Amino acid sequence: MNQLIDVKAVAPPKQSVPRKGSGQVASTEEYQALYRQSIENPTLFFGEQARKLLHWYRDFDTVVSGDFYGFSNPPSWFNGGLINACYNAVDRHANETPNQIALIYEADDERLNYNVTYEELLARVCQTAQMLKSIGVKKGDIVTVYMPTIPETVYTILAICRIGAMFSLVFAGFSPNSLRDRIQHANSRVVITTDQALRGGKVVETKSLVDQALEGTDCVEHVVVVERTGAKVNMVEGRDFSYNKTVPTFGVYCPVEWVDSEHPFFLMYTSGSTGKPKGLQQSTAGFLLGTVLSSKHVFGVSQGDVYFCAADVGWVLGLSHAIFGPLLNHATTIIFESTPLHPTPTRLFDVIDRHKATHLYTAPTVLRLLRQHDEGQIKKYDLSSLRCLGTAGEPIAKDVWEWYFNEVGRRRCSICDTYWLTESCMVMLTTIPGVSNMKPGAAGMPFFGVKPKLLDDKGHEITSRPAEGTLVFKNPWPSMARTVRGDHQRYQETYLKPFPGYFFTGDGAVFDKDNTIFITGRVDDVVNVSGHRISTAEIESAIMTAQAENLSIASETAVIGVNDDVTGQALNAFIVLEPHFQDKGHAKVVEHAIEHVAKGIGKFAVPKRLFLVKDLPKTRSGKIMRRVLRKIASGEEDQLSDLSTLSEPAVIDHIIQVVKASS
Ligand code: WTA
């Protein structure tokens, strides 16, 4: 905590102070006054904002009902209201400014870029909605979306909510096994994908991966295939059909299905400490308000802005801020299919320059990579259109923050750190651009309506400052996930029961003397690699089920996260082989284990380093001491501190040797 409690504040650049009359808070005093109102009278605050920023077909009767103590029923919002997400994101703007550009598609190969106006967006969404209706998709159905970041993905997501169905978004980097689990769990009758995907010039065989995922499942009746590359792919007669050939045959208008505020909106799977990923379920009005508020009051997005969130739309960051945030606020959004290094490490700057982007929103891991590759070329780009630079997903180190501020923002833009989670779908802690003093590395201050608290190990609130503890939220907010689909008990146990009366985030934090909040990292077994949450338990279970010669490979394993210069954290696995494999060619066995993780979860979950060891350090009660493994893997074996509970001290020397020999 020591290095965090006296981080010096940097004043926000004058150029980034919001315009008067923009609807955004423009000074610290205004922030404090609105924050106070949002906490003292959340009903008034959220009710007013919901009516101001969203279109309601029927107004709601109550703003919020329930609290965190009502475990069996999480709070519900805007009861009595009728709303539609697609109408809010598209129709109202298409009616007002049909020719305004809604989407800028920045393709993997920039020669394929094109723009889509709000009028065209509405037409494409309506045609897609009609196509879905024609195959029987209706209110309450869950369509699985396994797509790269292309305009058709935006059309599909908006079309699904237009007709009151739900989408389950699966990042197109997940393996067939992970995709199968999600399709079956959601009981999807329809899956939508592409023939292939392109990322950084590399081909991903999305359709073939879907085919593999569907082996042994029987719920899926249709696979809709968007032609992204035009490659000839396997099409199953009667089940699969081309999006491109069918969608244009439908008319360009499809009526909106107005739904209750609490109508389930989408499923997003996320990693937790144990077991399989949880299918977090969002509700419609709450998600819309959390997202439109974050986009409006954190980033100050409005009509005329060109918003560039460089995330894949298969992750929550892209869904919320490349699609819904800017569209709900009537702005233009750039959707980015490629990778930051393709074809060169200046791609993002080129995009900003060409499209005159007003915002850039990305993760520290991307910034670390760009900084590493920066040899001064960035100076050639005109980045003067930028107003605000956002970051999310992990803490940003001071030197990366400074590079972002000096080189990308040229000291004219605020750096806006945003702390949030898939579970929150609203920015919870932030630095308001042009208003809040910025402390490099800090997530910032609470967003409107958010009451962050710090708890000690016994669950008591720590009120002294500076202090370190576990971060929780004391009050409900509109866009909190409502349940883990099919397992509400797991939702209660994960978020509401650890500290009754609070929502448990899974993160540790330091509050400094000014109440600025720094996130210190997950306190559970979740590792944050390149801003993506990965559960170590899930990888361990994939390794434990890896087989060779019909026999299990591993008798025990422990996966941990260690600090990494580029990816934030990196995965390291310690494996104890079954006796049968102990003396065999190790390389082959390790290959099997790696393959199993890649197949079971996805390539991004494959540990960066694998160590074959004879035993793992355990307490006398048999618990693996991951803390010790973390220290050794980080080269800090001289700081193992308290080893009094260790059952076999000799194990430590052996593991140190193995790690040293491989580095
Ligand atoms: C971490 C991503 C520090 C945190 C939007 C959280 C952060 C997890 C920040 C959620 C930030 C997110 N500073 N850490 N600004 N933002 N995190 O669900 O550990 O993929 O619990 O949502 O990322 O990751 P998720």
Side-chain angles (χ1 to χ4, degrees), residues 270 315-317 391-396 417-423 429 443 505-507 519 521-522 528 531-533:
T270 190
W315 295 112
V316 74
L317 194 67
T391 151
E394 42 176 332
I396 182 167
D417 202 320
T418 55
Y419 166 87
W420 56 292
L421 313 92
T422 309
E423 289 82 346
L429 307 174
T505 60
D507 284 302
I519 302 297
R522 301 283 307 190
N528 196 331
H532 295 154
R533 273 161 75 168

Side-chain angles (χ1 to χ4, degrees), residues 218-267:
D218 53 12
C219 56
V220 174
E221 291 162 20
H222 292 292
V223 178
V224 188
V225 185
V226 176
E227 290 165 21
R228 169 59 187 87
T229 63
K232 207 170 156 31
V233 292
N234 173 47
M235 297 291 272
V236 176
E237 181 80 38
R239 188 195 71 179
D240 306 352
F241 64 91
S242 156
Y243 175 96
N244 304 55
K245 292 203 179 76
T246 46
V247 161
T249 64
F250 290 98
V252 293
Y253 189 72
C254 170
V256 163
E257 177 83 38
W258 300 101
V259 297
D260 290 331
S261 298
E262 282 292 330
H263 184 66
F265 191 31
F266 67 87
L267 280 183

Side-chain angles (χ1 to χ4, degrees), residues 268-271 280 315-318 320-321 361 364 391-396 416-427 429-430 441-444 471 505-508 517-524 526-528 531-534 569:
M268 185 82 124
Y269 289 80
T270 190
S271 294
L280 289 170
W315 295 112
V316 74
L317 194 67
S320 299
H321 291 275
Y361 192 20
T391 151
E394 42 176 332
I396 182 167
C416 174
D417 202 320
T418 55
Y419 166 87
W420 56 292
L421 313 92
T422 309
E423 289 82 346
S424 78
C425 275
M426 177 172 100
V427 169
L429 307 174
T430 189
L471 179 67
T505 60
D507 284 302
I517 303 170
F518 293 78
I519 302 297
T520 53
R522 301 283 307 190
V523 293
D524 52 11
V526 171
V527 177
N528 196 331
H532 295 154
R533 273 161 75 168
I534 304 180
Q569 284 188 296

Side-chain angles (χ1 to χ4, degrees), residues 448-470:
F448 301 122
V450 175
K451 253 195 218 171
K453 298 284 171 196
L454 204 55
L455 301 186
D456 65 18
D457 291 346
K458 297 199 178 71
H460 300 134
E461 281 188 21
I462 311 173
T463 49
S464 63
R465 300 288 182 260
E468 184 167 12
T470 302

